[in-house]
Amino acid sequence: MLINVITGNFVNFAGTCRILGARSVVSLPPNEPPTNLNPDSNDLKELQAEIQRIHGECLEIPCVVGGKEIYTGNTGYQMAPYNHSLKIAKYHMASEEVIKEAIHSAMAARRDWERTPLEHRAAIFQKVADLITGKYRIPSLAVTMVGQAKTAFEADIDCVQEIADFYRFGIHYAKELQDGVELHQTKGVINQLKYRGLEGFVAAISPFNFTAIGGNLAGTPAIVGNVVLWKPALTTMLASYLVYRIFQEAGVPDGVVNFIPSSGKTFGDVITASPHLAGINFTGSVETFRYIWRKVAENIDIYRTFPRLIGECGGKNFHFLHESADIDTVVNCTIRAAYGYSGQKCSACSRIYVPESKWAKVKELLIQKHKELKMGSPEDYDTFVSAVIDEKSYKNIKEYIDYAKDSSDLSIIAGGKCDDRYFIQEAADILKDAAGNFYINDKSTGSVVGQQPFGGARLSGTNDKAGSSHYILRWVSPQSVKETVVPIDDYKYPHQS
């Protein structure tokens, strides 16, 4: 869950904070800048042409196991959410046998990949980031806009800026780990801490709402030497497959990342039944993550290692207002957080707590701004809200609206003093355990890699902070190495002489 507290205190902090140790400090990479989508830009013209190309093509997408394309014949279609007559991809679903073959392929690739020097693995994923932000910048935008009904602005944040940042920052944090932790050394002994990839395969189960999440779940564990089975969401198949093809073009070896379109249950049942399961990297619903966790628990005796379960499940995020809050800031941040990408973000604002003394003004301005929101196709660059991803999501939203209509306690509509940040400190203390991310005077959405590592606490997830060094640590297995460099000339201890 992500909580945002809005007050009247605005304090700007500038500068760079570095943790200094015995080793030299390497600067963090810069965040990827946005695409130029101004009305007269060449990028926008190319984007419009690429979208039209997608309209005229329904790409056939296979399973890819060990570099081999597998067309199973059990197919489904990805539709544009805002145009249900537009088929943009035909994908082949993996059977149990295909998933088992992918496990075998991953395990066959594991030894060489884990022993590949980090510098070589990093160079490959640096190339992935460069291809996404260069050669495939416009195609990435187009498939994400059409396939997930994202506006150009929302798509650019996702499938260009954030996904590139995940790889570049992941590489940076992995190299920091490789530099090692300074351990106490004693006479005649060399102590080291080394990091290995996990012993087994990682299953990456990605959601529909962010192309970048799929790329991160499948790619970041591979940077530090893991092999991966990637099950993308069926409603984001086109964008996920483009990312996978970029992996291939950049030089990710066959079998290191296997592309497995599948039903959730089939994939979950097969991977949790394998003794080689080393970790599950998941973003999705609480119910699905609980199901996966139960399956792992049922099979705990068969595994070679204890699998690591990394989950991001979203949350009921809220904005919490103090009486000192600036009303324009409150309303504009809430509109952006609640309606950006139609509210289909893990961090989207779904609740707002307003002091009674401020409610009349907040309500009035919310209704006014709500009327201004333009709903339509993401291909129209004035659109703020487009279609939700599929019929299931539509029905889920409608159920909430119907519940509100039928409730006597609810209606549908279109405090105190503080001392130099005292309220912020008090609120932060009270809400300390309630959220994985806590923002002050800002909207709840929009975390940036390397700036606000993202992860939900409580039932929102395992709070592993994607886009941080903490996240990288979850995908390595530390090994403490002691090397004695002087001979031991007696079995007796000194006091026994």
Side-chain angles (χ1 to χ4, degrees), residues 292-346:
I292 291 170
W293 204 297
R294 281 194 297 268
K295 295 297 292 185
V296 170
E298 290 171 4
N299 295 323
I300 197 67
D301 292 333
I302 71 170
Y303 301 127
R304 293 175 61 88
T305 66
F306 292 107
R308 298 189 183 181
L309 303 181
I310 312 301
E312 176 57 48
C313 302
K316 295 295 291 180
N317 310 297
F318 60 84
H319 285 182
F320 188 93
L321 275 58
H322 188 259
E323 285 189 346
S324 67
D326 177 78
I327 300 303
D328 286 331
T329 298
V330 167
V331 171
N332 289 326
C333 283
T334 301
I335 289 289
R336 285 182 172 183
Y339 294 102
Y341 190 42
S342 304
Q344 299 176 119
K345 300 182 182 182
C346 304

Side-chain angles (χ1 to χ4, degrees), residues 113 115-126 175 223 250-251:
W113 180 246
R115 286 160 175 75
T116 298
L118 174 61
E119 289 75 12
H120 295 177
R121 297 195 303 261
I124 291 173
F125 278 91
Q126 181 63 52
K175 287 181 177 179
I223 291 173

Side-chain angles (χ1 to χ4, degrees), residues 23 181-194 479-486:
R23 293 167 176 81
V181 176
E182 188 173 5
L183 300 176
H184 181 65
Q185 305 295 331
T186 59
K187 184 178 181 180
V189 174
I190 299 173
N191 295 312
Q192 302 175 69
L193 191 64
K194 296 183 178 181
Q479 182 183 52
S480 182
V481 179
K482 174 185 177 182
E483 179 182 357
T484 300
V485 294
V486 294

Side-chain angles (χ1 to χ4, degrees), residues 166-328:
F166 273 136
Y167 298 136
R168 290 168 180 161
F169 279 79
I171 289 166
H172 172 87
Y173 295 132
K175 287 181 177 179
E176 279 191 337
L177 284 183
Q178 181 178 257
D179 286 343
V181 176
E182 188 173 5
L183 300 176
H184 181 65
Q185 305 295 331
T186 59
K187 184 178 181 180
V189 174
I190 299 173
N191 295 312
Q192 302 175 69
L193 191 64
K194 296 183 178 181
Y195 293 97
R196 307 160 292 175
L198 304 184
E199 187 183 7
F201 70 90
V202 172
I205 304 173
S206 60
F208 76 87
N209 57 342
F210 277 84
T211 302
I213 293 179
N216 180 50
L217 266 57
T220 299
I223 291 173
V224 288
N226 293 288
V227 290
V228 181
L229 269 63
W230 180 12
K231 191 204 89 64
L234 302 181
T235 46
T236 185
M237 194 60 64
L238 193 59
S240 297
Y241 187 57
L242 176 59
V243 173
Y244 182 77
R245 292 193 319 205
I246 293 172
F247 283 179
Q248 291 180 309
E249 184 172 332
V252 176
D254 293 344
V256 169
V257 179
N258 300 274
F259 190 78
I260 313 294
S262 173
S263 73
K265 186 176 186 304
T266 299
F267 187 80
D269 288 351
V270 175
I271 61 156
T272 55
S274 171
H276 299 294
L277 178 66
I280 296 176
N281 208 4
F282 172 87
T283 297
S285 70
V286 173
E287 292 77 13
T288 301
F289 196 44
R290 281 174 169 163
Y291 176 82
I292 291 170
W293 204 297
R294 281 194 297 268
K295 295 297 292 185
V296 170
E298 290 171 4
N299 295 323
I300 197 67
D301 292 333
I302 71 170
Y303 301 127
R304 293 175 61 88
T305 66
F306 292 107
R308 298 189 183 181
L309 303 181
I310 312 301
E312 176 57 48
C313 302
K316 295 295 291 180
N317 310 297
F318 60 84
H319 285 182
F320 188 93
L321 275 58
H322 188 259
E323 285 189 346
S324 67
D326 177 78
I327 300 303
D328 286 331

Side-chain angles (χ1 to χ4, degrees), residues 392-461:
K392 180 181 178 182
S393 293
Y394 171 81
K395 288 181 176 179
N396 186 47
I397 295 169
K398 187 175 184 301
E399 286 176 1
Y400 277 101
I401 296 173
D402 291 342
Y403 176 82
K405 287 179 178 178
D406 296 337
S407 174
S408 60
D409 299 327
L410 301 173
S411 60
I412 298 176
I413 64 168
K417 299 179 181 179
C418 69
D419 184 13
D420 296 334
R421 298 178 65 82
Y422 171 77
F423 169 74
I424 294 174
Q425 296 170 5
E426 182 181 24
D429 180 66
I430 293 171
L431 300 170
K432 182 177 182 180
D433 295 322
N437 283 49
F438 187 91
Y439 298 166
I440 299 167
N441 293 330
D442 208 338
K443 60 187 176 68
S444 59
T445 55
S447 63
V448 179
V449 176
Q451 297 184 32
Q452 302 92 29
F454 186 82
R458 291 183 175 171
L459 291 183
S460 294

